[in-house]
Amino acid sequence: MRQTIQPRSGTAFTIKKGERLKVIDPEGEQVADIYAFNEHDKTEFLSSGRTLDYNESIRFKTGSKLYSNLSEVMFEIIEDKVEDHDFLLTPCSVDTFRHFYPDEEPVPGCYGNLVAAFAEFDIPAHHVGTTFNTFMNVDISDSGKIAVLPPKSQAGDFTVFEAKMDMIVGLTACSAGESNNFRYKPIQFEILPAQTV
Amino acid sequence: MRQTIQPRSGTAFTIKKGERLKVIDPEGEQVADIYAFNEHDKTEFLSSGRTLDYNESIRFKTGSKLYSNLSEVMFEIIEDKVEDHDFLLTPCSVDTFRHFYPDEEPVPGCYGNLVAAFAEFDIPAHHVGTTFNTFMNVDISDSGKIAVLPPKSQAGDFTVFEAKMDMIVGLTACSAGESNNFRYKPIQFEILPAQTV
């Protein structure tokens, strides 16, 4: 069943090993941040650094695996219409809004939305680290400069992640202007059952 | 007073706001991983993601600031003879040795050395995240491929970090072959007093 995350909000849910998380961008150009914990040991969580290490790449596509801080595979991308995602930058937050948009009233952002969603699973705020930013288009220049560009995702594009362990997963419709071509749209998702051979 | 970290080992110590940490590569081509906690709140720690966000760059040099997960400045680089460091990759560990060098007997690596050093300050292992890898030479190709190259640091080169809060700091002489041009050397460091105007 398809569920909708309203613009600039987030949710958390459990997923079992073998099930698949389909993240859909219904209107296009909208980022969805993902973070995850081992359901049975909340000190094991998604790790940008380990994932960059083992993929030996900052680009992600079908076949890429996302690792935990304990070097276990949490997700594998098994289908991907976009193949342009980010795993360098932290979820937007009150602090990042103050830093980048000092004239705007700050909103909770993906970080605040994830912290609130994970709190229902008794996960403390400081355990929420760098998110896998689905559909986020980040360019690195030859000099190392980071630029955030409009997502390449078009209406209806999606990425499917297979769960490699039982997890608590947080997912957002990103709240940052620059990341979403300055229009805040919903994100949709489905939990698909484990595939039987 | 200059202190020496033996090859493939690590240590932890406190530093006060305003003091400066001088990290020296005495022989050249040796990486030193740094991680840090707010001495007064160990749920505040060094954050790769926040630092990449606010620097808007994956390159670091004199003037670069290193941020915590709470978006506070922990360190500022105030002098830097190398200006080539990494803040993408996790410290080497038993798991990374098994992954990259399956035929070798794994060693604790920077992660194991940091976990042991921080344990004396009652900091749990899962709070040790992506380290600032001083002198580590990481190249990102146009396609996003990560390559670890020999450090550009020469004998006697150093980087000076000014502490912007009271911290518990972990520092290693890195244990990974590829990162250190396949020779394991010591790292030296000094804590310099706060500068008086």
Side-chain angles (χ1 to χ4, degrees):
Chain A
M1 200 174 64
R2 188 168 293 204
Q3 297 183 66
T4 298
I5 300 172
Q6 295 304 320
R8 301 185 111 180
S9 73
T11 187
F13 48 85
T14 57
I15 188 169
K16 296 297 179 188
K17 180 177 177 176
E19 291 182 333
R20 291 159 295 141
L21 170 64
K22 182 175 184 176
V23 179
I24 304 140
D25 180 356
E27 301 186 20
E29 296 195 333
Q30 176 61 44
V31 168
D33 288 7
I34 296 178
Y35 204 66
F37 293 85
N38 179 338
E39 185 182 359
H40 310 295
D41 173 6
K42 294 168 192 166
T43 67
E44 180 169 19
F45 37 74
L46 198 59
S47 169
S48 161
R50 292 275 179 219
T51 301
L52 296 171
D53 264 336
Y54 298 137
N55 279 283
E56 299 180 66
S57 176
I58 63 168
R59 304 287 171 211
F60 301 91
K61 57 186 182 181
T62 303
S64 296
K65 293 172 181 167
L66 310 188
Y67 288 81
S68 76
N69 59 319
L70 298 183
S71 297
E72 300 292 335
V73 180
M74 299 188 91
F75 292 107
E76 179 175 342
I77 298 177
I78 59 168
E79 192 176 358
D80 191 354
K81 298 295 183 194
V82 181
E83 303 208 328
D84 189 48
H85 314 288
D86 169 68
F87 207 0
L88 299 183
L89 302 179
T90 46
C92 58
S93 66
V94 169
D95 294 320
T96 49
F97 285 110
R98 287 209 181 104
H99 182 96
F100 289 111
Y101 311 102
D103 296 335
E104 290 181 27
E105 185 69 24
V107 294
C110 291
Y111 179 74
N113 291 330
L114 287 171
V115 165
F118 282 128
E120 297 185 22
F121 292 90
D122 293 323
I123 292 169
H126 66 276
H127 280 193
V128 180
T130 297
T131 39
F132 183 83
N133 304 310
T134 316
F135 312 134
M136 187 172 181
N137 180 3
V138 172
D139 181 71
I140 310 286
S141 75
D142 287 344
S143 67
K145 185 87 185 153
I146 294 171
V148 178
L149 305 173
K152 293 178 182 167
S153 49
Q154 299 184 321
D157 276 350
F158 61 85
T159 300
V160 182
F161 304 82
E162 183 172 305
K164 296 297 190 180
M165 61 174 74
D166 298 347
M167 288 182 283
I168 302 159
V169 175
L171 182 65
T172 69
C174 175
S175 307
E178 196 177 35
S179 305
N180 303 291
N181 207 7
F182 298 96
R183 197 167 70 81
Y184 307 113
K185 292 136 288 178
I187 282 290
Q188 295 181 326
F189 69 100
E190 296 173 10
I191 309 281
L192 306 168
Q195 282 176 314
T196 50
V197 185
Chain B
M1 200 173 66
R2 188 169 292 204
Q3 297 183 66
T4 297
I5 300 172
Q6 294 304 320
R8 303 185 111 182
S9 73
T11 187
F13 48 85
T14 57
I15 188 169
K16 295 298 178 187
K17 180 178 177 178
E19 290 182 332
R20 290 159 296 142
L21 170 64
K22 183 175 184 175
V23 178
I24 305 140
D25 180 355
E27 299 184 21
E29 296 193 333
Q30 176 62 44
V31 168
D33 288 7
I34 296 178
Y35 203 66
F37 293 85
N38 179 337
E39 186 182 359
H40 311 295
D41 173 7
K42 294 168 191 167
T43 68
E44 180 169 19
F45 37 73
L46 198 60
S47 169
S48 161
R50 293 275 179 219
T51 302
L52 297 170
D53 264 337
Y54 297 137
N55 278 282
E56 299 181 66
S57 176
I58 62 167
R59 304 287 171 212
F60 301 91
K61 58 187 182 181
T62 303
S64 297
K65 293 170 181 168
L66 310 187
Y67 288 81
S68 76
N69 58 320
L70 300 183
S71 298
E72 299 293 334
V73 180
M74 299 189 92
F75 292 107
E76 179 175 343
I77 298 177
I78 60 168
E79 192 176 357
D80 192 353
K81 297 297 184 194
V82 181
E83 301 207 327
D84 190 48
H85 314 288
D86 169 69
F87 207 2
L88 300 183
L89 303 178
T90 47
C92 59
S93 66
V94 168
D95 294 319
T96 49
F97 284 110
R98 286 208 181 104
H99 182 96
F100 289 110
Y101 312 102
D103 297 334
E104 289 182 27
E105 184 69 25
V107 294
C110 290
Y111 179 74
N113 291 329
L114 287 171
V115 165
F118 281 128
E120 297 187 20
F121 293 91
D122 294 322
I123 293 169
H126 66 277
H127 281 193
V128 179
T130 297
T131 39
F132 184 83
N133 304 311
T134 317
F135 313 132
M136 188 170 179
N137 181 3
V138 172
D139 181 71
I140 311 286
S141 75
D142 287 345
S143 67
K145 185 87 185 151
I146 295 172
V148 177
L149 305 174
K152 294 177 181 168
S153 50
Q154 300 184 320
D157 277 349
F158 61 85
T159 300
V160 182
F161 303 83
E162 184 172 304
K164 296 297 189 179
M165 62 174 71
D166 298 345
M167 289 182 282
I168 302 160
V169 175
L171 182 65
T172 70
C174 174
S175 306
E178 197 177 34
S179 305
N180 302 291
N181 207 8
F182 298 96
R183 197 166 70 80
Y184 307 114
K185 294 135 286 180
I187 282 290
Q188 295 182 325
F189 70 100
E190 297 174 10
I191 309 281
L192 305 168
Q195 281 176 316
T196 51
V197 184

